[in-house]
């Protein structure tokens, strides 16, 4: 890994009570072993553990300010007032923070997002990670990074992983036990990786919102896809193989496992009833180019989330060559190079 990222607790204002206002920044993460399917919708508990790399691009900065006079929460995303399902999810999340803090005070949330929203680039991951850190501080909760990852999970599963930098595993936790035990067992933590200097080349082949939300798509997959259970079982094996590949710094194995896990996840949704197909012809064009790069001797491997965009894992030293090849394949689309990024952090009280 090129950069060391702090895994120290993201401190709230310990023992000082609510600051009333706090700002946090978080980055998205891309799963190399996917989270796809919840065993508990309310607690956001996944069927399988997942593993990701936090990016150094597309930061989300969120300010939470308590407003004792307000009758309800308000939120703005890049200056535009949030409404509908987006506001409902933010309010439900703040309600959870209020219940934990024993507060009834409403909040004003301001978010600046640099990731194209709703395009399968996990804006909910950086969004709920930043909201968890800022809201916990504003309401005076003194939580370490592990507890903050559990809290962020309740907003969006993948957000639990954005609490940490570099490679991160999110444990599914045990399937037996009480709700409180299940909640405690499902958290994220950093994963050791030896001597890997990775890059992710991100091909944004479509930055528009998706037709089926990942939340709805994963529910439909779990409920109707005959391929879901077999994929979930094989994903546990993929995770064990991935951890071993990271430990020995084997980027070819990391890429191979990530690619097969992602293609398997998309197979589960293609087999759902009705099918969910996020992959477009531009996606397939990039996948073909990546195969060609491998034939040319370059370690390059694809992964796709709930959208048509492709993220290509490669060595940092090869990133410009890989990005050039992908740009040639989809000349009208945006192609960016990301590296490993830092975990979520508080920017300072009252900022
Ligand atoms: C395909 O974390 O957005 O990106 O928990 O319902 O908010 P909710 O889902 P979300 O799903 C991400 C799915 C994925 C794979 C991954 O990031 O692991």
């Amino acid at each position: 890994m090129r950069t060391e990222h702090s895994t120290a607790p993201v401190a709230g204002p310990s023992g000082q009570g609510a600051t009333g206002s706090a700002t946090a920044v978080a980055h998205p993460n891309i799963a190399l072993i996917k989270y796809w399917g919840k065993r508990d919708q309310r607690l956001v508990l996944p069927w399988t553990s997942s593993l990701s790399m936090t990016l150094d691009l597309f930061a989300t900065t969120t300010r939470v300010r308590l407003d004792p006079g307000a009758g309800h929460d308000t939120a703005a995303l890049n200056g535009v007032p949030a409404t509908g399902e987006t506001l409902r999810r933010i309010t439900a999340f703040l309600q959870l923070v209020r219940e934990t803090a024993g507060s009834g005070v409403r909040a004003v949330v301001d978010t600046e997002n640099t990731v194209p929203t709703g395009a399968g680039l996990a804006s909910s991951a950086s969004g709920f990670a930043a909201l968890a850190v800022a809201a916990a501080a504003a309401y005076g909760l003194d939580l370490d990074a592990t507890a903050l990852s559990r809290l962020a999970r309740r907003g969006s599963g993948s957000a639990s992983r954005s609490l940490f930098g570099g490679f991160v595993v999110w444990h599914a936790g045990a399937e037996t036990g009480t709700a409180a035990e299940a909640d405690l067992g499902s958290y994220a933590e950093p994963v050791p990786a030896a001597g890997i200097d990775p890059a992710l080349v991100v091909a944004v082949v479509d930055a528009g919102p998706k037709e089926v939300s990942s939340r709805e798509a994963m529910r439909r997959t779990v409920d109707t896809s005959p391929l879901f259970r077999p994929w979930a079982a094989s994903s546990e094996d993929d995770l064990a193989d991935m951890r071993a590949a990271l430990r020995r710094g084997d980027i070819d194995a990391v890429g191979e496992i990530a690619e097969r896990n992602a293609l398997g996840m998309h197979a589960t949704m293609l087999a759902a009833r009705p099918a969910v197909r996020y992959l477009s012809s531009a996606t397939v064009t990039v996948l073909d180019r990546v195969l060609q790069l491998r034939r040319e001797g370059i370690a390059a491997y694809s992964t796709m989330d709930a959208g048509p965009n492709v993220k290509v894992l490669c060595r940092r030293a090869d990133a410009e060559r890989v990005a050039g090849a992908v740009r040639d394949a989809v000349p009208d689309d945006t192609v960016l190079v990301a590296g490993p990024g830092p975990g979520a952090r508080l920017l300072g009280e009252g900022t």
Side-chain angles (χ1 to χ4, degrees):
M1 175 86 63
R2 190 181 57 112
T3 332
E4 286 298 314
H5 297 295
S6 167
T7 54
V10 184
S14 65
Q16 300 301 306
T19 59
S21 177
T23 302
V25 63
H27 289 76
N29 65 77
I30 297 299
L32 303 178
I33 301 293
K34 302 297 184 187
Y35 148 53
W36 195 249
K38 298 176 187 61
R39 64 181 205 272
D40 186 311
Q41 308 286 335
R42 186 181 67 84
L43 293 174
V44 191
L45 296 171
W47 276 111
T48 56
S49 300
S50 54
L51 187 148
S52 59
M53 184 175 108
T54 303
L55 305 189
D56 58 0
L57 298 179
F58 306 138
T60 296
T61 306
T62 295
R63 177 173 185 243
V64 175
R65 183 171 57 80
L66 305 198
D67 184 357
H72 51 84
D73 299 313
T74 53
L77 306 180
N78 292 338
V80 179
T83 56
E85 177 62 10
T86 307
L87 182 61
R88 193 202 60 73
R89 274 178 75 172
I90 292 170
T91 301
F93 186 79
L94 290 170
Q95 192 54 31
L96 179 66
V97 175
R98 278 191 284 271
E99 279 161 23
T100 315
S103 169
V105 179
R106 299 292 173 155
V108 178
V109 176
D110 261 301
T111 288
E112 294 299 325
N113 215 350
T114 56
V115 62
T117 301
L121 285 174
S123 62
S124 68
S126 53
F128 278 101
L131 183 61
V133 173
Y139 281 96
L141 295 178
D142 186 13
L143 303 178
D144 65 15
T146 307
L148 284 167
S149 80
R150 286 189 197 98
L151 178 63
R153 187 196 83 222
R154 298 288 295 274
S156 183
S158 54
S160 66
R161 299 184 308 238
S162 278
L163 261 294
F164 299 96
F167 293 104
V168 182
V169 64
W170 167 25
H171 302 287
E175 282 172 36
T176 52
T178 63
E181 284 163 351
D183 176 53
L184 270 180
S186 188
Y187 60 90
E189 64 179 341
V191 172
I196 292 189
D197 191 7
L200 269 182
V201 173
V202 182
V204 185
V205 300
D206 182 357
K210 51 200 170 211
E211 273 172 35
V212 186
S213 72
S214 59
R215 198 153 268 205
E216 160 58 20
M218 67 173 83
R219 193 181 297 131
R220 194 187 298 173
T221 303
V222 173
D223 290 348
T224 71
S225 174
L227 300 190
F228 179 69
R229 294 297 170 134
W231 173 78
S234 71
S235 199
E236 295 294 348
D237 296 338
D238 285 349
L239 178 64
D241 292 350
M242 176 65 82
R243 293 184 74 131
L246 286 171
R247 263 198 308 275
R248 58 176 198 273
D250 183 346
I251 195 154
D252 284 283
V254 168
E256 259 176 57
I257 299 161
E259 194 175 272
R260 77 181 184 220
N261 188 268
L263 290 170
M265 175 187 75
H266 283 276
T268 67
M269 42 182 131
L270 287 168
R273 295 156 195 190
V276 179
R277 185 173 61 87
Y278 286 124
L279 312 182
S280 69
S281 54
T283 311
V284 176
T285 300
V286 177
L287 293 182
D288 282 347
R289 190 64 189 91
V290 169
L291 279 180
Q292 180 61 32
L293 278 166
R294 289 221 285 278
R295 283 195 285 268
E296 293 163 13
I298 302 286
Y301 299 89
S302 303
T303 186
M304 294 78 63
D305 293 295
N309 301 317
V310 186
K311 297 93 183 183
V312 185
L313 181 78
C314 61
R315 290 190 175 86
R316 184 177 288 271
D318 293 331
E320 283 313 321
R321 171 153 179 204
V322 171
V326 173
R327 274 188 201 110
D328 286 347
V330 283
D332 296 334
D333 297 323
T334 305
V335 177
L336 303 154
V337 178
R345 66 190 187 281
L346 210 50
L347 287 186
E349 291 168 28
T351 49

